[in-house]
Amino acid sequence: FDETDAEQLQRVFPGCAELLGARRTSLFCSSSQAQADSAALFRSGSGSRLGSLNLLGGKESVSQMQYAVRRLLKIVCSHFKGVVLFIDDLQWSDTATLDLLKSIVLDGEIPSLLIVGAYREDEVPDHHPLALHTRELEEMNVSITKIKIGNLSVNYAIPLVAEALGMDHDDSKVKSLAETIHRKTEGNPFFMLTFLRSLYDEKLLQYNFGVMKWIWDDNAVNSKIVTENVASVLVNKMNRLQEETQRILMVASCLGATFRLSAVMT
């Protein structure tokens, strides 16, 4: 674990290099040989999936990385009064990521750490890895607080729209717009913001530099149709792109998650 590693950590956690100090050479393990292996493992693993670590092979490499992450969290959390680790879109998490989170949760030596995870309930059936890991932790008497987030009420929709537009939530026009958007989207935050963005894309919502605020036509907003399907929202958005851009996206969709830029530019 050398100075370059310390600099990388410092960019992620401001002040981390100073925090590690003399202890950073023993961050990953106690023995000199394991220390060398761990440092190399950390550098090779940077920016890659846990499952691709192969310096120690299989489960050993994953366990080594999990241990390194827990040691780092112990140092960071011991320096601050409280640390919140928020992870979004857990419905897309793989088993390696969930195993890492499980090892962190079960480590009783990490102080003042609160882990908050968010996921889409309708995408996590009983057999989903996240559901399985959650039940396993609960069976081990780990305290997990579940908060179901529903759609926004109109009283919360008004501040959301006002904040997005940088306007006063007591403004009667903002209230009227927010109520219209809430009625059309049933208070779904994603569709509310998507609808607001679509108003801008279609020139129904414009910024007036003369009065220094957003303006819109209430009748035009009322007449706009809202889709309740995420796929339709994305399709409509892509249909507004230039024809050449649509062609590139069409080719890219057939090539998988990774491809050369030259493959779509010819």
Side-chain angles (χ1 to χ4, degrees), residues 8 28 37 119 168 195 216 230 237 240 263:
Q8 292 175 344
F28 294 102
D37 291 342
Y119 64 93
D168 191 344
F195 181 81
W216 59 88
V230 177
K237 188 173 183 179
R240 291 195 293 270

Side-chain angles (χ1 to χ4, degrees), residues 61-116:
S61 63
V62 174
S63 297
Q64 191 79 1
M65 174 58 81
Q66 290 178 354
Y67 178 69
V69 172
R70 295 200 308 272
R71 288 294 301 276
L72 175 60
L73 284 175
K74 290 176 188 177
I75 295 174
V76 173
C77 293
S78 64
H79 182 70
F80 300 101
K81 293 182 179 179
V83 175
V84 177
L85 177 61
F86 176 74
I87 306 174
D88 199 6
D89 292 323
L90 280 174
Q91 72 275 4
W92 295 332
S93 56
D94 55 17
T95 302
T97 301
L98 293 172
D99 285 342
L100 172 60
L101 287 175
K102 177 183 174 182
S103 72
I104 294 172
V105 169
L106 294 177
D107 192 326
E109 297 182 7
I110 302 177
S112 306
L113 175 64
L114 173 64
I115 300 178
V116 180

Side-chain angles (χ1 to χ4, degrees), residues 31-204:
S31 69
S32 58
Q33 181 59 47
Q35 174 185 317
D37 291 342
S38 298
L41 173 63
F42 182 85
R43 287 192 294 272
S44 298
S46 178
S48 62
R49 290 182 178 272
L50 291 178
S52 66
L53 297 174
N54 54 20
L55 289 183
L56 298 179
K59 294 182 179 179
E60 291 181 346
S61 63
V62 174
S63 297
Q64 191 79 1
M65 174 58 81
Q66 290 178 354
Y67 178 69
V69 172
R70 295 200 308 272
R71 288 294 301 276
L72 175 60
L73 284 175
K74 290 176 188 177
I75 295 174
V76 173
C77 293
S78 64
H79 182 70
F80 300 101
K81 293 182 179 179
V83 175
V84 177
L85 177 61
F86 176 74
I87 306 174
D88 199 6
D89 292 323
L90 280 174
Q91 72 275 4
W92 295 332
S93 56
D94 55 17
T95 302
T97 301
L98 293 172
D99 285 342
L100 172 60
L101 287 175
K102 177 183 174 182
S103 72
I104 294 172
V105 169
L106 294 177
D107 192 326
E109 297 182 7
I110 302 177
S112 306
L113 175 64
L114 173 64
I115 300 178
V116 180
Y119 64 93
R120 299 174 187 170
E121 188 177 30
D122 58 347
E123 295 185 24
V124 182
D126 291 340
H127 60 274
H128 190 281
L130 176 60
L132 298 176
H133 276 70
T134 300
R135 285 198 296 272
E136 185 176 351
L137 288 173
E138 289 176 331
E139 290 173 357
M140 300 172 70
N141 295 322
V142 174
S143 177
I144 299 178
T145 301
K146 298 180 181 179
I147 303 175
K148 186 173 182 177
I149 307 298
N151 290 348
L152 299 177
S153 67
V154 67
N155 291 332
Y156 289 105
I158 294 173
L160 175 64
V161 173
E163 177 69 21
L165 299 178
M167 299 175 68
D168 191 344
H169 65 271
D170 290 327
D171 189 312
S172 60
K173 284 189 64 65
V174 172
K175 285 184 177 181
S176 176
L177 176 63
E179 289 169 356
T180 299
I181 294 177
H182 181 271
R183 184 175 65 254
K184 287 178 172 291
T185 61
E186 297 183 351
N188 182 304
F190 174 79
F191 287 117
M192 286 183 63
L193 295 176
T194 300
F195 181 81
L196 201 57
R197 176 72 189 190
S198 69
L199 293 178
Y200 172 77
D201 291 339
E202 297 176 21
K203 311 296 184 184
L204 299 177

